[in-house]
Amino acid sequence: GQNIDQPTEMTATEGAIVQINCTYQTSGFNGLFWYQQHAGEAPTFLSYNVLDGLEEKGRFSSFLSRSKGYSYLLLKELQMKDSASYLCAVLDSNYQLIWGAGTKLIIKP
Amino acid sequence: KAGVTQTPRYLIKTRGQQVTLSCSPISGHRSVSWYQQTPGQGLQFLFEYFSETQRNKGNFPGRFSGRQFSNSRSEMNVSTLELGDSALYLCASSSGTGHTDTQYFGPGTRLTVL
């Protein structure tokens, strides 16, 4: 079967750095997405990785290792508004998105 | 550019009833995907429509159906509602021209089945 694993919940302090991990086992791989979802709102696109390595976008970076079936989202200089759920999704061989259950990130002052 | 819109935002139904949810994609987008989101389960893919044709389908029973109109607007129907159908139903639109298109989500319809 296809599986995406993420921690259920993480807590971090304002101004700090946090890394949210995602491991996957899917039938084929055509890229990995990260989305942010604030409570009661729609998921919004953060990043897309298809090649190994680190992609940086401001305070957010996303890393991919296809050989290890592993990705992480790195958030720097955390702000209170970063409190949200972070969803990892993999595009499988049929170009269907397989979603993780999401990681709820709690930021404390 | 207006975002993805979904109506209604909230819905309360009883078991056995049926419901129709609507999604209007971003202008110019031809692909609409539907998802069910429940706590702890993540997003479960229902189906994707492109140019009025169902292009992809998840593992949901036949009680869940959908369609897409010529203006790319899409509807999703759930018949014979069960308590377990209570969830947030999200639709997402994309251009549909590339398999790795970014999906843009609507705010969702919160369905409660009593």
Side-chain angles (χ1 to χ4, degrees), chain B residues 26-65:
Chain B
I26 291 171
S27 177
H29 282 188
R30 294 164 65 191
S31 170
V32 173
S33 296
W34 287 91
Y35 295 91
Q36 181 192 68
Q37 186 177 36
T38 54
Q41 288 279 333
L43 274 73
Q44 303 293 316
F45 173 71
L46 283 152
F47 28 66
E48 181 208 1
Y49 284 87
F50 177 77
S51 291
E52 302 179 66
T53 301
Q54 188 178 87
R55 187 160 72 170
N56 220 335
K57 189 177 187 304
N59 296 320
F60 276 79
R63 300 186 296 109
F64 292 81
S65 62

Side-chain angles (χ1 to χ4, degrees), chain A residues 30-31 33 35 37 40-45 48 87 91 94-102, chain B residues 9 35 37 40-45 56-58 88 90 99-107:
Chain A
N30 282 298
F33 291 83
Y35 278 77
Q37 186 178 24
E41 297 183 13
T44 55
F45 170 77
Y48 170 70
L87 312 177
L91 205 57
N94 294 319
Y95 292 97
Q96 182 170 321
L97 273 174
I98 310 301
W99 294 82
Chain B
R9 292 293 312 278
Y35 295 91
Q37 186 177 36
Q41 288 279 333
L43 274 73
Q44 303 293 316
F45 173 71
N56 220 335
K57 189 177 187 304
L88 179 68
L90 292 162
H99 289 296
T100 59
D101 287 343
T102 297
Q103 294 195 351
Y104 297 89
F105 285 84

